[in-house]
Short mmCIF file of all heavy atoms in Angstrom, two decimals:
data_model
loop_
_atom_site.label_atom_id
_atom_site.label_comp_id
_atom_site.label_asym_id
_atom_site.label_seq_id
_atom_site.Cartn_x
_atom_site.Cartn_y
_atom_site.Cartn_z
N LEU A 204 10.94 41.30 -42.36
CA LEU A 204 10.53 40.11 -43.09
C LEU A 204 10.39 38.88 -42.19
O LEU A 204 9.58 37.99 -42.46
CB LEU A 204 11.54 39.81 -44.21
CG LEU A 204 11.47 40.76 -45.41
CD1 LEU A 204 12.72 40.62 -46.28
CD2 LEU A 204 10.23 40.50 -46.24
N SER A 205 11.16 38.85 -41.10
CA SER A 205 11.11 37.70 -40.21
C SER A 205 9.80 37.61 -39.44
O SER A 205 9.51 36.59 -38.81
CB SER A 205 12.28 37.75 -39.21
OG SER A 205 12.12 38.83 -38.30
N ARG A 206 9.00 38.65 -39.49
CA ARG A 206 7.71 38.64 -38.81
C ARG A 206 6.65 37.85 -39.58
O ARG A 206 5.59 37.55 -39.07
CB ARG A 206 7.21 40.07 -38.58
CG ARG A 206 8.11 40.92 -37.71
CD ARG A 206 7.58 42.33 -37.60
NE ARG A 206 8.48 43.19 -36.85
CZ ARG A 206 8.28 44.48 -36.64
NH1 ARG A 206 7.18 45.05 -37.12
NH2 ARG A 206 9.16 45.19 -35.96
N GLY A 207 6.95 37.56 -40.84
CA GLY A 207 5.98 36.86 -41.68
C GLY A 207 5.66 35.47 -41.16
O GLY A 207 6.49 34.83 -40.52
N THR A 208 4.46 35.00 -41.43
CA THR A 208 4.04 33.68 -40.98
C THR A 208 3.63 32.77 -42.14
O THR A 208 3.36 31.59 -41.93
CB THR A 208 2.85 33.79 -40.02
OG1 THR A 208 1.77 34.47 -40.67
CG2 THR A 208 3.24 34.56 -38.76
N LYS A 209 3.59 33.32 -43.35
CA LYS A 209 3.16 32.54 -44.51
C LYS A 209 4.38 32.03 -45.29
O LYS A 209 5.51 32.18 -44.86
CB LYS A 209 2.23 33.38 -45.39
CG LYS A 209 0.95 33.76 -44.68
CD LYS A 209 -0.01 34.50 -45.60
CE LYS A 209 -1.31 34.85 -44.87
NZ LYS A 209 -2.26 35.59 -45.74
N GLU A 210 4.11 31.44 -46.46
CA GLU A 210 5.18 30.84 -47.25
C GLU A 210 6.24 31.87 -47.64
O GLU A 210 7.43 31.60 -47.60
CB GLU A 210 4.60 30.18 -48.49
CG GLU A 210 5.62 29.41 -49.31
CD GLU A 210 5.00 28.70 -50.50
OE1 GLU A 210 3.77 28.87 -50.73
OE2 GLU A 210 5.73 27.98 -51.20
N TYR A 211 5.79 33.05 -48.02
CA TYR A 211 6.70 34.12 -48.40
C TYR A 211 6.32 35.42 -47.69
O TYR A 211 5.16 35.63 -47.33
CB TYR A 211 6.67 34.38 -49.92
CG TYR A 211 6.99 33.19 -50.76
CD1 TYR A 211 6.01 32.55 -51.51
CD2 TYR A 211 8.30 32.68 -50.81
CE1 TYR A 211 6.30 31.45 -52.29
CE2 TYR A 211 8.60 31.58 -51.59
CZ TYR A 211 7.59 30.96 -52.31
OH TYR A 211 7.90 29.86 -53.07
N SER A 212 7.32 36.28 -47.51
CA SER A 212 7.09 37.62 -46.97
C SER A 212 7.55 38.63 -48.00
O SER A 212 8.61 38.45 -48.63
CB SER A 212 7.88 37.83 -45.67
OG SER A 212 7.45 36.94 -44.68
N VAL A 213 6.77 39.70 -48.19
CA VAL A 213 7.12 40.75 -49.15
C VAL A 213 7.12 42.09 -48.41
O VAL A 213 6.09 42.49 -47.85
CB VAL A 213 6.14 40.80 -50.33
CG1 VAL A 213 6.53 41.91 -51.30
CG2 VAL A 213 6.10 39.45 -51.06
N LEU A 214 8.27 42.75 -48.40
CA LEU A 214 8.40 44.05 -47.74
C LEU A 214 8.41 45.14 -48.79
O LEU A 214 9.22 45.12 -49.72
CB LEU A 214 9.69 44.09 -46.93
CG LEU A 214 10.06 45.42 -46.26
CD1 LEU A 214 8.99 45.82 -45.24
CD2 LEU A 214 11.43 45.32 -45.60
N ILE A 215 7.49 46.09 -48.66
CA ILE A 215 7.37 47.19 -49.62
C ILE A 215 7.49 48.52 -48.89
O ILE A 215 6.87 48.73 -47.83
CB ILE A 215 6.02 47.15 -50.36
CG1 ILE A 215 5.84 45.81 -51.09
CG2 ILE A 215 5.92 48.29 -51.36
CD1 ILE A 215 4.51 45.69 -51.81
N ASP A 216 8.27 49.41 -49.45
CA ASP A 216 8.39 50.76 -48.92
C ASP A 216 7.04 51.47 -49.10
O ASP A 216 6.39 51.32 -50.15
CB ASP A 216 9.49 51.49 -49.70
CG ASP A 216 9.63 52.92 -49.25
OD1 ASP A 216 10.37 53.17 -48.29
OD2 ASP A 216 8.98 53.79 -49.88
N PRO A 217 6.56 52.24 -48.11
CA PRO A 217 5.25 52.89 -48.21
C PRO A 217 5.13 53.85 -49.39
O PRO A 217 4.06 53.94 -50.01
CB PRO A 217 5.11 53.63 -46.87
CG PRO A 217 6.48 53.67 -46.28
CD PRO A 217 7.17 52.46 -46.79
N ASP A 218 6.22 54.55 -49.73
CA ASP A 218 6.17 55.45 -50.89
C ASP A 218 5.95 54.67 -52.18
O ASP A 218 5.24 55.13 -53.09
CB ASP A 218 7.47 56.26 -50.99
CG ASP A 218 7.61 57.28 -49.87
OD1 ASP A 218 6.58 57.63 -49.27
OD2 ASP A 218 8.75 57.71 -49.59
N THR A 219 6.56 53.50 -52.26
CA THR A 219 6.39 52.65 -53.44
C THR A 219 4.94 52.18 -53.55
O THR A 219 4.36 52.17 -54.64
CB THR A 219 7.33 51.42 -53.36
OG1 THR A 219 8.68 51.87 -53.32
CG2 THR A 219 7.14 50.51 -54.56
N LEU A 220 4.36 51.78 -52.40
CA LEU A 220 2.96 51.35 -52.42
C LEU A 220 2.05 52.49 -52.84
O LEU A 220 1.09 52.28 -53.60
CB LEU A 220 2.56 50.84 -51.03
CG LEU A 220 1.18 50.20 -50.95
CD1 LEU A 220 1.14 48.88 -51.73
CD2 LEU A 220 0.79 49.93 -49.49
#
Side-chain angles (χ1 to χ4, degrees):
L204 286 166
S205 68
R206 298 177 184 178
T208 58
K209 297 184 179 179
E210 186 176 4
Y211 303 109
S212 298
V213 180
L214 175 62
I215 303 178
D216 178 87
D218 291 340
T219 299
L220 187 67

